[in-house]
Amino acid sequence: MEHRHRILAAAATAAALVLLGACGSGGDDAAANSTSSSGTRLAVVATTPEVADFVRNVGGDDVAVTQVIKPNVDPHDYEPTPADLRAIGKAKIVVKNGVGLEEWLDRTIESAGFQGTVVDSSQGVTLREGGHEHEEEGEEHAEGEEHAEGEEHDPHIWHDPRNAKIMVITIEKALTAADPAHAATFARNRAEYTAKIDKLDADNEAAFAKIPPAQRKLVTNHDAFGYYVDRYKLEFVGSVIPSLDTSAELSAQQLNDLVARIRATGTRAIFTESSLPPKSAEAIAQQAGVKVVGGEDALYGDSLGAEGTPQGTYLGAEQHNTRVITSALAG
């Protein structure tokens, strides 16, 4: 629970700074402040890089987006800053990924005195039950069904482009409700962006169709690619961190079991992720006698790439992931 206490402490400290009138911030926060005061653009705070990218594509020039979590920062272990609270306090809309990814958000919103609308972009998405190790224990969540109390679901929903389309529609509805005058623009932007997501999905399917099914085996840093695995009919062999979040660690027995599975299945590589350190993956790969895919080829599991790069967008990051995975599996 130490992590949760750190979050609450950070939120409380930031709230105090807000109440004391702390001022002076740059980047997206300053942009949101100026546009909300002028009334020319809708001030929106988005939690993750993926959700922020969706909002930018739908909102276009009519929305000022403040992105809370920066590229290559682990969203599972985020601590809000005073700038986050200032931005949330002045926003009209806060858009989150949902499915428990942002455990810190509710308390942060309360501390910021937010008076606007919170949009859960996971609404309507069919959720995976738990991680791969739990797949056979529970049935898939019905589309649109409320998340049951105490159930753990996989929050990495955007890795199936069909889910990304649902998220984008939810975002369009929220922007339209807040700013009806730009409804036609939001609808046009959403339609254009949805067509690009459809192309991404089709290109991914075509790329994996060239890989023999027996070679479509995936080992990653943590269990972030469940929706991707299901969508493109891959076999998930295991993960270095045996969890949907990034706080767990392999026991000695789990490590040995993973090495044995890698060898038994003929898995060709372990894929590291951009927001996580590669050392454990490298050690397991050495023991199993397979290669590590990392560095510039690290996958974007929880995050997007640096701003201004192709991988800094949802489409670019997913294209990168598919190129890297198919290239390594093709051998």
Side-chain angles (χ1 to χ4, degrees):
M1 290 296 138
E2 181 181 348
H3 166 57
R4 290 182 184 273
H5 292 320
R6 289 203 315 272
I7 291 176
L8 297 183
T13 301
L17 287 172
V18 172
L19 293 173
L20 289 169
C23 61
S25 92
D28 288 345
D29 189 26
N33 293 348
S34 64
T35 53
S36 59
S37 62
S38 67
T40 57
R41 291 199 289 169
L42 182 66
V44 179
V45 167
T47 55
T48 68
E50 295 84 6
V51 169
D53 193 44
F54 294 157
V55 176
R56 291 189 193 101
N57 276 280
V58 176
D61 294 334
D62 298 311
V63 172
V65 183
T66 300
Q67 177 181 316
V68 173
I69 301 176
K70 303 311 180 204
N72 290 325
V73 173
D74 182 358
H76 299 281
D77 195 32
Y78 186 73
E79 295 187 10
T81 69
D84 296 334
L85 273 94
R86 286 195 295 273
I88 289 171
K90 295 179 180 181
K92 300 297 183 186
I93 297 175
V94 171
V95 183
K96 66 178 182 177
N97 179 86
V99 205
L101 187 66
E102 304 101 333
E103 291 185 355
W104 45 269
L105 183 61
D106 287 347
R107 185 58 64 106
T108 305
I109 284 174
E110 183 180 338
S111 299
F114 177 66
Q115 299 297 315
T117 303
V118 177
V119 179
D120 183 346
S121 65
S122 72
Q123 286 186 324
V125 171
T126 302
L127 302 181
R128 294 181 63 253
E129 186 96 12
H132 278 89
E133 67 274 20
H134 301 123
E135 264 187 342
E136 296 179 1
E137 298 176 15
E139 295 180 358
E140 198 174 53
H141 219 12
E143 184 168 337
E145 188 180 331
E146 290 298 320
H147 307 178
E149 186 87 25
E151 287 183 359
E152 183 185 24
H153 294 96
D154 186 345
H156 307 89
I157 54 178
W158 63 90
H159 285 304
D160 183 335
R162 298 172 301 182
N163 292 344
K165 288 169 61 177
I166 295 172
M167 298 169 78
V168 167
I169 290 170
T170 298
I171 289 167
E172 181 207 345
K173 289 177 180 176
L175 297 183
T176 297
D179 185 5
H182 292 104
T185 302
F186 297 149
R188 182 174 66 251
N189 292 346
R190 195 269 305 163
E192 292 174 355
Y193 188 57
T194 294
K196 294 178 182 178
I197 296 176
D198 283 335
K199 184 178 187 305
L200 167 73
D201 193 24
D203 289 346
N204 287 351
E205 280 200 295
F208 280 108
K210 298 175 183 176
I211 308 295
Q215 292 175 211
R216 298 179 197 168
K217 296 180 171 67
L218 198 65
V219 178
T220 56
N221 263 112
H222 83 300
D223 194 357
F225 290 89
Y227 295 95
Y228 187 94
V229 164
D230 292 349
R231 177 68 183 114
Y232 302 115
K233 299 178 175 60
L234 311 183
E235 178 185 345
F236 184 76
V237 176
S239 56
V240 176
I241 300 172
S243 175
L244 293 171
D245 66 28
T246 55
S247 60
E249 293 183 6
L250 283 176
S251 66
Q253 184 60 53
Q254 288 173 316
L255 190 152
N256 291 334
D257 289 347
L258 178 57
V259 169
R261 283 200 303 276
I262 290 170
R263 289 173 173 166
T265 56
T267 300
R268 298 184 173 213
I270 295 178
F271 297 90
T272 63
E273 296 172 41
S274 64
S275 59
L276 294 171
K279 282 192 174 182
S280 296
E282 291 167 351
I284 291 172
Q286 185 174 10
Q287 191 172 339
V290 298
K291 65 181 177 180
V292 170
V293 178
E296 291 184 357
D297 286 336
L299 302 183
Y300 295 99
D302 276 336
S303 187
L304 301 181
E307 186 178 347
T309 67
Q311 294 81 18
T313 68
Y314 167 74
L315 296 173
E318 295 295 312
Q319 289 164 349
H320 165 92
N321 287 347
T322 297
R323 177 185 60 77
V324 168
I325 292 171
T326 55
S327 176
L329 298 186

